[in-house]
Amino acid sequence: MAFQKKISFEVTLYDSLSELNEDDNVLMSAAVSARKRAYAPYSNFFVGASVLLENNEIIEGNNQENASYPSGLCAERVAIFYAGAKFPGVQIKAMAISAAALNHEVCEPAAPCGNCRQAISEYEFKQAKPIRILLMGETGGVIECDSVADLLPLGFNSSYLE
């Protein structure tokens, strides 16, 4: 017998960066700093990401585009892959993401693309512990998600390959 099931999640909304605790503010500031160094000459959409590790290291990444667009990498994957390469086995506590555009102000938080959600989900599944996500545009409020699973319900992971 078929039935319907509603899948939903809750987020915390902050009106501005000033409402974040000190640690989250530092993490988002690192994402903003990384965003300002992004290489995005084709999309003119600049994204920075920062990852807070269990050892309190903060790893930054930004989008890196390529003339063979879209073969570049998004900020989220640059940051999370670098964290995995530099600190293998160290768990990820949180990730902050900030986006801006050249030709208009990004006032709303931009969520990770599907590829990035899947990559973050892989690390979350591997460590068996949620990764908190903070999202912000260039200005405006901040969205906090308790887990990437909130952004990618019914996600695919290695358990399906066993």
Side-chain angles (χ1 to χ4, degrees), residues 28 31-32 35 45-48 97-101 105-111 135-139:
M28 185 58 78
V32 169
R35 183 193 78 211
F45 191 72
F46 305 89
V47 181
I97 302 161
S98 177
E105 185 175 59
V106 178
C107 304
E108 297 291 325
L135 307 170
M136 187 180 92
E138 183 177 5
T139 61

Side-chain angles (χ1 to χ4, degrees), residues 35-153:
R35 183 193 78 211
K36 292 177 180 177
R37 297 187 310 271
Y39 179 67
Y42 306 102
S43 70
N44 292 314
F45 191 72
F46 305 89
V47 181
S50 58
V51 173
L52 175 62
L53 301 176
E54 200 64 44
N55 64 5
N56 291 319
E57 290 281 341
I58 293 178
I59 302 296
E60 297 177 6
N62 46 39
N63 55 320
Q64 298 293 312
E65 293 181 352
N66 188 291
S68 181
Y69 187 74
S71 69
L73 274 180
C74 300
E76 299 91 331
R77 285 180 285 154
V78 169
I80 205 163
F81 291 164
Y82 181 59
K86 185 165 173 95
F87 297 100
V90 177
Q91 292 194 342
I92 298 168
K93 292 168 54 174
M95 174 181 266
I97 302 161
S98 177
L102 183 64
N103 299 318
H104 66 281
E105 185 175 59
V106 178
C107 304
E108 297 291 325
C113 73
N115 288 330
C116 290
R117 291 175 198 212
Q118 182 63 41
I120 301 165
S121 178
E122 177 78 15
Y123 280 79
E124 187 171 277
F125 182 77
K126 179 173 74 169
Q127 71 185 29
K129 187 174 178 184
I131 297 173
R132 272 186 333 108
I133 309 286
L134 299 167
L135 307 170
M136 187 180 92
E138 183 177 5
T139 61
V142 176
I143 295 175
E144 177 184 10
C145 300
D146 292 331
S147 166
V148 73
D150 293 338
L151 299 174
L152 187 63

